Amino acid sequence: MPLRFYIYDISYEVVGREPHILLWGVNEDNERVVLRDRTFRPYFYVIPSNESEVSRLVGEIKRLSSVKSPITNVEVVTRKFFGKPMKVIKVVTVIPEYVREYREMIRGMDGVADVLEADIRFSMRYMIDKGLTPCSWFEVSNAEEVRKSPSLRVSREYEVFGEFTPLQIHKPPEMKVLAFDIEVYNPRGAPRPDRDPVIIIALMNSEGEVKVIEKVGEGPRGDARVIDEFVSYIQQYDPDIIVGYNSNKFDWPYLLERSKLLGVRLEVGRVKDGIPRTSVYGHISIPGRLNVDLYDFVEEISEIKIKSLDVVAEYLGIMRRDERVLIPWYEISKYWDDPNKRELLIRYAVDDVKSTKGLADKLLPFATQLSSLTGLPLDQVGSASVGFRLEWYLMRAAYKFNELIPNRVERPYEPYKGAIVLEPIRGIHDNIAVLDFTSMYPNIMIKYNIGPDTFVEGECSEDQCYVIPELGYRFRKEPPGFYKAVLETLLEMRRGVREVMKKLPQGSVEYRILDERQKALKILANASYGYMGWVGARWYFRQGAEAVTALGRKTISTAIDLAKKLGLKVIYGDTDSLFVEYNPKIDEFIRLVMEKLGLEIKVDKVYRRVFFTEAKKRYIGLTTDGLVDIVGFEAVRGDWAEIAKEVQELVAHTILAEGSISKAIELVNNVIKDLREGRVALDRLIIWKTITKPLDEYEVSAPHVTAARRLIELGGRVEVGDKIGYVIVKGSGPISSRAYPYIAVKVEDIDSDYYIDHQIVPAALRILEYFGVTEKQLKTASKGVRTLFDFSKKR
DNA sequence: GCACGATTTATACCA
DNA sequence: ACTGGTATAAATCGTGCG
């Protein structure tokens, strides 16, 4: 009988000598179910170097068949490879693990050009071939309920016999989410699982219930019960999704190590003996459940510079920092050991888990849409990079187009020319419109049919091919290539989603879901150019990426010429944007660009006033709403001290909104005075910088590297990707020798001259220098009133 | 051997 | 581990000096 279900995950098991696909889902009665398919078999393709070799190869491949996993079928089929139809050999076997062995044997055979699609994981292969995507509703034409395997902790089990049809329902069933957060005893700095017990596990579920598991009693093994209780809680609540914050890199690895040491079974999965294990893209996989590390999604929010849970929760409006308990990591054991403070530590853990749950409510809808679009299960989609997400989408598209999926190959890095950035006209400009080409690169790829399969090596006339300026590369106009077809589908889907959204009330659940979906579609489309130029991509094509930027340069230059011809003054531009005088000629300009270039340009925003120094990629603008936009300057960078960023922001505001130079000078004077007189808190002096490689690979002793080394000496742990917060203390010698982790420094030891000369003054001067303000004026208070008006008079 | 400008290394931003 | 273009700081190199 037919069955409708929401699929959230997929796995497989080998039963006897038969691979079984397990689809984890929710049925229409909101029961957790497993659909078992025993009929699917792994396969791959062999590309012959010469078509005349095919029949010989078929015979040879058949003879490779071994008992452990017989080759059950070898057939010649037609597939396209980079758009070109060809005869290839499809080899089917039984046990997924043997694909690799056969691949290696066949790869070395005479007359074999390549082996393709032998590196696609079996469960992904199944979903691609069946058109299944996770986090989506399907109907299977025939599924029979069978006796449930005792090892599966679900309500029902079915066996699949029919075909799948996607259902046009975007709303997921009620998924049970469980947030968790562990606290670990760490008297000597960074905790070590071989020594330091888990002292608290805080949990919060979809119903809003909070549970705290505390270690009771002393002794090094006291947390065995903590982990036991944690496991029981999970099995009893039975969540579909388990969320944590940095749980892939901390909580789960720690619990795994710790439970191994204590001999406790971390059996949290939905199958018997189902324990978490490290899987693809570095995520931790739990059988039958979706383990999602929300940190992965937070990493992509570039506005948040310091990604600690409290800061992120505040930024997203989940929990205010001044309304929660905050305990620095190096003091956790102190709070635990002090009977008067332990309660605070517990409240801290609860605040953390509440924040984590809040993060899940904010971020899972997007993650779910990304999962359903890319086909990557929800627990993988966050940890997969942008490139891999798009690649999975492309692999599915390739299957639908009967295109073979290229292998991942190691290639040398090949740089190529990028976009144009105009020299800004420095100074203050009033009434400036910022015009943007909409999705410039994706639209160029579509318009000029750019891709590896449309590239013409030999002669090709201009009526058959697009000839790329500067490069002379030629791309055939017809038929549409792989990238063009995919991009058009993506953009068409996005248009469709946005169309449906218009008919929905803005606050509705459906509206929200579709909004996340259209965002995910946009992200995928916008990643396509970068993906094509990524040496790690299966569909890497340097000449294509090169052509896109060349066409981009041509497009923006032509637009500039058109603007000039209309008498529109261009102030600045970068890649796909132009800053021009805001006047009625703009309408004509937009029309002309559309007519001559066939690409859409539109007014993105209007500045009442905008200011440029001589630097590219940096400006401040006063919007029509009276807000000050700061772009590129120190104030928006995460690696400047808060105090310097505040000063610059204030200066920017004073100059743009109030037009007062003297007031700006005065406020800098005051901040410097405050700093000199010790009225600035330490946390406004911290400089945060990322450690981008192992410490011993650094060629210079940069301040943040020195600080990181000192942090390790203090018992801390530093990993690649960590942000080190350091301050500069008084003394002599290079700055790096005076950079210390902020936790180890008292405010009296701060080198205020460093902060004045290397942080506050440069940040302020960056803007004020143009108005003739000197370092001396900023450092010594004086009277006098100067406005922008006075300044322009003098000039 | 030192001072100082030039170059290199490193980070984070813009699009 | 999606791209190239850009600004900037701090460390380090290299050179002239005499």
Side-chain angles (χ1 to χ4, degrees):
Chain A
M1 55 185 284
L3 175 72
R4 291 171 155 231
F5 69 105
Y6 179 84
I7 172 173
Y8 67 86
D9 202 7
I10 182 164
S11 61
Y12 77 90
E13 58 184 18
V14 179
V15 181
R17 286 200 187 158
E18 191 179 60
H20 292 187
I21 286 283
L22 301 182
L23 302 176
W24 298 83
V26 179
N27 68 12
E28 285 186 296
D29 298 326
N30 206 32
E31 292 172 315
R32 274 52 189 165
V33 299
V34 163
L35 282 75
R36 185 184 293 268
D37 191 338
R38 302 168 33 167
T39 62
F40 194 64
R41 296 293 177 266
Y43 66 87
F44 57 91
Y45 295 102
V46 179
I47 316 297
S49 17
N50 190 321
E51 281 201 8
S52 61
E53 303 259 26
V54 169
S55 52
R56 176 183 61 82
L57 275 175
V58 168
E60 273 187 49
I61 291 167
K62 278 181 178 166
R63 280 195 291 281
L64 291 175
S65 183
S66 75
V67 189
K68 284 177 191 164
S69 178
I71 291 177
T72 53
N73 194 25
V74 182
E75 63 177 317
V76 180
V77 294
T78 304
R79 295 282 184 274
K80 284 181 281 178
F81 196 37
F82 292 106
K84 222 176 89 192
M86 54 168 74
K87 285 201 161 42
V88 298
I89 305 162
K90 182 178 175 182
V91 182
V92 185
T93 182
V94 178
I95 310 295
E97 282 71 22
Y98 283 84
V99 165
R100 192 196 195 96
E101 279 188 29
Y102 285 126
R103 177 187 68 190
E104 291 313 310
M105 287 189 244
I106 294 170
R107 196 171 257 170
M109 283 166 59
D110 255 3
V112 171
D114 215 343
V115 179
L116 294 180
E117 303 198 13
D119 59 347
I120 295 163
R121 292 188 304 281
F122 187 53
S123 43
M124 289 303 271
R125 174 85 272 171
Y126 182 84
M127 283 204 286
I128 292 173
D129 289 24
K130 303 284 179 178
L132 286 170
T133 46
C135 298
S136 318
W137 285 94
F138 286 90
E139 180 172 289
V140 57
S141 57
N142 187 14
E144 296 303 325
E145 184 159 3
V146 293
R147 198 166 63 85
K148 190 172 74 70
S149 313
S151 63
L152 299 178
R153 296 196 181 102
V154 292
S155 300
R156 288 174 202 282
E157 183 176 333
Y158 302 88
E159 187 162 344
V160 174
F161 297 104
E163 299 303 311
F164 301 95
T165 320
L167 300 172
Q168 291 312 310
I169 308 169
H170 290 304
K171 192 176 168 180
E174 285 298 317
M175 297 291 272
K176 289 170 84 176
V177 178
L178 181 67
F180 84 112
D181 177 49
I182 72 169
E183 303 301 336
V184 172
Y185 196 60
N186 59 345
R188 280 172 279 189
R192 268 175 36 193
D194 59 338
R195 170 184 79 190
D196 303 316
V198 176
I199 49 183
I200 299 170
I201 300 183
L203 301 133
M204 183 176 182
N205 66 22
S206 287
E207 286 69 41
E209 289 161 11
V210 172
K211 158 105 178 161
V212 178
I213 302 166
E214 276 179 69
K215 180 164 116 45
V216 187
E218 294 308 308
R221 295 180 42 86
D223 57 334
R225 255 189 60 190
V226 175
I227 298 173
D228 264 338
E229 264 190 66
F230 174 61
V231 172
S232 315
Y233 186 91
I234 291 177
Q235 291 304 353
Q236 167 255 315
Y237 179 67
D238 193 29
D240 304 301
I241 304 175
I242 299 179
V243 297
Y245 194 71
N246 202 26
S247 52
N248 278 340
K249 294 214 175 91
F250 180 72
D251 304 57
W252 284 119
Y254 204 93
L255 286 171
L256 279 166
E257 278 281 310
R258 197 68 197 147
S259 58
K260 202 165 101 189
L261 190 95
L262 296 167
V264 181
R265 289 199 58 80
L266 197 59
E267 215 182 303
V268 291
R270 266 181 176 149
V271 294
K272 197 166 169 292
D273 302 325
I275 61 165
R277 59 181 182 83
T278 307
S279 180
V280 281
Y281 311 122
H283 89 288
I284 304 263
S285 153
I286 299 174
R289 305 190 201 279
L290 297 167
N291 171 52
V292 177
D293 187 348
L294 298 165
Y295 185 78
D296 289 332
F297 296 97
V298 170
E299 266 196 308
E300 290 164 26
I301 310 175
S302 56
E303 293 89 335
I304 316 176
K305 312 293 172 187
I306 302 159
K307 276 141 169 122
S308 58
L309 181 53
D310 53 304
V311 171
V312 173
E314 176 162 270
Y315 179 87
L316 295 175
I318 294 160
M319 190 182 283
R320 284 175 51 174
R321 291 182 79 236
D322 58 5
E323 287 176 355
R324 59 159 294 169
V325 180
L326 284 171
I327 296 173
W329 59 269
Y330 51 90
E331 282 189 357
I332 286 176
S333 52
K334 224 185 281 176
Y335 276 71
W336 176 256
D337 289 333
D338 185 340
N340 298 317
K341 283 184 165 177
R342 190 178 281 193
E343 195 50 41
L344 269 178
L345 181 63
I346 288 164
R347 274 175 50 201
Y348 165 73
V350 168
D351 285 346
D352 267 2
V353 82
K354 282 182 178 168
S355 300
T356 305
K357 178 60 176 44
L359 239 55
D361 297 337
K362 293 266 178 193
L363 302 173
L364 284 182
F366 173 74
T368 304
Q369 290 310 314
L370 204 55
S371 168
S372 104
L373 284 168
T374 59
L376 274 161
L378 189 69
D379 56 347
Q380 292 176 34
V381 76
S383 35
S385 67
V386 175
F388 286 115
R389 289 175 192 170
L390 177 62
E391 190 154 84
W392 278 109
Y393 185 86
L394 296 176
M395 285 159 78
R396 283 170 177 274
Y399 181 83
K400 286 176 200 154
F401 297 156
N402 213 23
E403 272 279 348
L404 290 165
I405 298 167
N407 283 329
R408 191 171 288 293
V409 284
E410 275 204 45
R411 300 185 177 89
Y413 168 64
E414 306 170 273
Y416 60 89
K417 216 166 152 195
I420 290 180
V421 188
L422 301 187
E423 207 75 55
I425 299 178
R426 56 202 295 265
I428 297 252
H429 308 276
D430 288 338
N431 293 320
I432 297 296
V434 184
L435 293 148
D436 271 346
F437 279 96
T438 37
S439 302
M440 186 199 244
Y441 286 173
N443 281 315
I444 283 176
M445 288 169 76
I446 291 172
K447 181 161 194 253
Y448 297 95
N449 203 19
I450 307 292
D453 50 349
T454 51
F455 185 71
V456 179
E457 299 246 28
E459 288 296 300
C460 186
S461 65
E462 288 209 27
D463 51 292
Q464 300 234 334
C465 276
Y466 297 109
V467 181
I468 308 304
E470 294 179 56
L471 303 166
Y473 296 158
R474 293 167 300 279
F475 293 87
R476 75 169 59 85
K477 293 181 176 174
E478 294 292 339
F482 182 54
Y483 276 109
K484 176 171 177 167
V486 166
L487 279 168
E488 278 186 326
T489 324
L490 282 172
L491 297 184
E492 183 46 49
M493 278 166 79
R494 179 156 184 256
R495 261 193 295 276
V497 169
R498 279 154 63 106
E499 210 49 50
V500 178
M501 280 171 69
K502 281 186 194 159
K503 294 170 201 145
L504 292 168
Q506 289 214 2
S508 66
V509 181
E510 288 78 7
Y511 185 93
R512 167 90 200 278
I513 291 169
L514 291 183
D515 192 35
E516 302 294 356
R517 194 169 178 83
Q518 67 88 10
K519 274 187 220 162
L521 284 162
K522 186 179 184 176
I523 286 171
L524 287 176
N526 285 345
S528 55
Y529 148 74
Y531 172 85
M532 186 163 62
W534 169 42
V535 287
R538 289 178 192 265
W539 279 276
Y540 170 69
F541 190 53
R542 195 213 73 228
Q543 294 94 322
E546 213 179 352
V548 173
T549 56
L551 288 162
R553 293 193 295 274
K554 174 84 182 166
T555 302
I556 195 96
S557 319
T558 310
I560 293 167
D561 291 346
L562 290 172
K564 283 182 180 161
K565 268 187 207 143
L566 284 172
L568 267 178
K569 196 174 175 192
V570 177
I571 304 302
Y572 175 67
D574 183 352
T575 313
D576 61 351
S577 72
L578 285 178
F579 289 55
V580 303
E581 296 167 316
Y582 186 51
N583 72 31
K585 286 179 195 162
I586 283 181
D587 291 336
E588 174 67 0
F589 174 67
I590 290 171
R591 203 192 54 75
L592 220 65
V593 167
M594 188 69 225
E595 184 193 303
K596 304 256 175 187
L597 290 166
L599 292 166
E600 186 192 48
I601 195 169
K602 59 174 197 280
V603 178
D604 181 51
K605 60 168 66 186
V606 175
Y607 287 120
R608 289 216 292 250
R609 177 172 280 175
V610 59
F611 169 76
F612 285 94
T613 68
E614 67 291 340
K616 297 172 173 181
K617 298 196 180 270
R618 294 185 153 202
Y619 54 87
I620 55 177
L622 180 67
T623 67
T624 43
D625 310 324
L627 299 172
V628 174
D629 270 352
I630 303 181
V631 179
F633 283 110
E634 287 74 8
V636 295
R637 291 180 62 102
D639 58 350
W640 280 71
E642 199 54 44
I643 190 161
K645 301 205 289 177
E646 280 169 16
V647 164
Q648 194 180 55
E649 217 178 302
L650 287 167
V651 167
H653 200 273
T654 312
I655 294 291
L656 282 187
E658 300 178 36
S660 171
I661 298 163
S662 44
K663 199 180 163 195
I665 297 171
E666 198 185 319
L667 75 90
V668 181
N669 289 160
N670 289 338
V671 172
I672 290 176
K673 197 158 173 253
D674 284 349
L675 181 62
R676 286 215 171 105
E677 291 167 14
R679 283 193 301 272
V680 174
L682 189 80
D683 60 348
R684 292 170 69 208
L685 301 172
I686 304 169
I687 297 162
W688 295 90
K689 270 204 169 80
T690 311
I691 295 294
T692 59
K693 53 186 168 190
L695 292 187
D696 52 2
E697 284 175 23
Y698 277 93
E699 297 187 40
V700 291
S701 25
H704 68 301
V705 179
T706 320
R709 293 211 174 93
R710 287 177 169 143
L711 192 62
I712 291 169
E713 274 171 43
L714 291 166
R717 196 185 356 218
V718 173
E719 265 154 75
V720 172
D722 285 355
K723 273 206 161 53
I724 303 296
Y726 67 90
V727 291
I728 305 299
V729 302
K730 286 179 208 151
S732 62
I735 289 157
S736 63
S737 73
R738 296 185 282 120
Y740 283 81
Y742 73 95
I743 56 160
V745 175
K746 292 195 195 73
V747 74
E748 308 91 81
D749 300 325
I750 289 294
D751 179 2
S752 47
D753 283 334
Y754 170 80
Y755 284 91
I756 294 164
D757 295 334
H758 291 84
Q759 293 275 321
I760 298 170
V761 168
L765 228 41
R766 202 80 68 205
I767 293 167
L768 291 174
E769 193 177 35
Y770 172 79
F771 302 99
V773 176
T774 61
E775 181 179 346
K776 210 171 163 188
Q777 282 174 287
L778 294 180
K779 285 162 88 169
T780 50
S782 71
K783 290 178 287 267
V785 176
R786 283 186 66 200
T787 62
L788 289 186
F789 179 67
D790 299 323
F791 173 73
S792 52
K793 251 193 326 197
K794 268 189 202 163
R795 285 164 66 92

